[in-house]
Amino acid sequence: MNARTLKDKLLRGDTVYGTMIQHATNPGIVDLIPPNSLDFVICTAEHNALDLADFLPLRYALAAKGIACLARTHSREPDDVSKVCDSFDGVVVPYVEDVEHAKRLAAAAVYRPLKGVALERVLKENKWPSEKTKKYCFEERCADTLFIPMIESVQAVENLEAICSIPGVNALFVGPNDMTTNMGIPNEYDHPDFIKIMQRIIDTGARHHIAAGSWFGKVEQQQRTLKQGARLVVYASESAMMHDAMAEAFGKMRRG
């Protein structure tokens, strides 16, 4: 599945399945991915000593397998978003909550290479230099680029209707650690208040025909969120799945 196919599935209302890649940069790992398991991966350099450039060999190996490869930025700066989108199939931006900031992040992803005064006119007045420029930026160069803001605060949820109205927003991705911490219930992913706010995010996205979902490390939590209507599934990570598989297998053997 390439970026265009992934984008089309999201627009059609399909559910898409992915995982985080945190440590694996050797492209050979792609041969271990079972057929028909992943629609996409999100490469992230958070919580490790890697840079996103370290994942580029993996990105091209995934492309050969038809799996879209998104990248989670370190920062929340529009220039960094543009840089990521020039190399990956799309971008996942952490902690997006301010509407004007979200507009600039989305523009950096899907209006490339427009900048400066011309971009300001588009953002403030929706006035493009020409129809040719608009078609080139939005319909040609960036047509296959995905922009996914991470919804990780109560303020982001309060602003969600406006965020969903921004051109170029393809999905909403909840970071449960940040969200529950912001809510005052750190890491309580089964708390009724968190489940309630997930429903609100999913429903708001659905009204705008935008998929929503959350990262979870437990299948049961993903299944619950799927029943709520989530269409963006981001399960665990390659390192977490390796840890869990080894713990289960060797635990059983050592116990006899």
Side-chain angles (χ1 to χ4, degrees):
M1 174 173 294
N2 57 27
R4 166 50 55 186
T5 307
L6 178 61
K7 201 169 187 179
D8 287 345
K9 286 192 76 171
L10 289 168
L11 290 171
R12 282 200 309 267
D14 295 347
T15 301
V16 295
Y17 297 83
T19 190
M20 305 283 278
I21 299 289
Q22 288 187 298
H23 299 98
T25 59
N26 187 323
I29 195 174
V30 173
D31 289 334
L32 304 179
I33 298 174
N36 303 315
S37 57
L38 293 178
D39 296 316
F40 66 96
V41 304
I42 301 173
C43 293
T44 176
E46 187 185 24
H47 308 311
N48 58 39
L50 298 172
D51 292 316
L52 286 176
D54 296 325
F55 293 101
L56 282 174
L58 180 66
R59 178 256 188 275
Y60 293 113
L62 288 163
K65 286 277 191 178
I67 300 172
C69 184
L70 313 176
R72 183 191 183 281
T73 55
H74 279 297
S75 76
R76 301 163 62 242
E77 294 298 322
D79 285 347
D80 291 332
V81 167
S82 293
K83 185 176 180 180
V84 165
C85 290
D86 283 336
S87 298
F88 292 85
D89 291 319
V91 64
V92 177
V93 183
Y95 222 86
V96 176
E97 63 179 5
D98 178 80
V99 177
E100 291 304 313
H101 184 221
K103 288 179 181 178
R104 295 181 181 281
L105 293 170
V110 300
Y111 292 167
R112 291 172 294 129
L114 202 63
K115 302 179 184 72
V117 174
L119 178 59
E120 288 299 314
R121 286 202 185 101
V122 172
L123 292 174
K124 293 178 180 178
E125 306 172 46
N126 196 30
K127 290 184 178 180
W128 289 80
S130 69
E131 284 301 312
K132 286 184 178 179
T133 297
K134 182 177 181 180
K135 181 177 180 181
Y136 170 69
C137 292
F138 200 58
E139 299 179 22
E140 295 177 13
R141 177 167 177 175
C142 304
D144 295 340
T145 299
L146 288 103
F147 170 69
I148 301 177
M150 293 193 72
I151 306 303
E152 303 187 276
S153 68
V154 174
Q155 186 62 49
V157 178
E158 294 301 320
N159 292 335
L160 200 54
E161 291 282 356
I163 290 172
C164 287
S165 299
I166 296 170
V169 175
N170 297 116
L172 306 170
F173 179 30
V174 176
N177 175 256
D178 283 88
M179 178 62 83
T180 54
T181 300
N182 188 272
M183 294 172 67
I185 48 171
N187 293 324
E188 295 185 39
Y189 300 163
D190 298 320
H191 193 288
D193 289 346
F194 176 66
I195 294 171
K196 182 178 179 181
I197 210 167
M198 277 301 311
Q199 190 67 67
R200 181 177 173 184
I201 293 166
I202 291 165
D203 291 345
T204 303
R207 286 196 296 273
H208 293 266
H209 307 287
I210 295 173
S214 178
W215 178 92
F216 286 114
K218 294 181 179 180
V219 171
E220 296 80 9
Q221 291 168 336
Q222 285 291 5
Q223 289 174 324
R224 180 189 68 214
T225 312
L226 282 164
K227 290 177 181 177
Q228 289 183 285
R231 294 197 291 112
L232 183 78
V233 177
V234 185
Y235 172 66
S237 67
E238 91 289 13
S239 47
M241 285 187 277
M242 178 181 176
H243 171 275
D244 291 348
M246 291 181 68
E248 181 181 2
F250 283 96
K252 285 181 179 179
M253 288 185 284
R254 287 181 179 277
R255 289 191 302 268

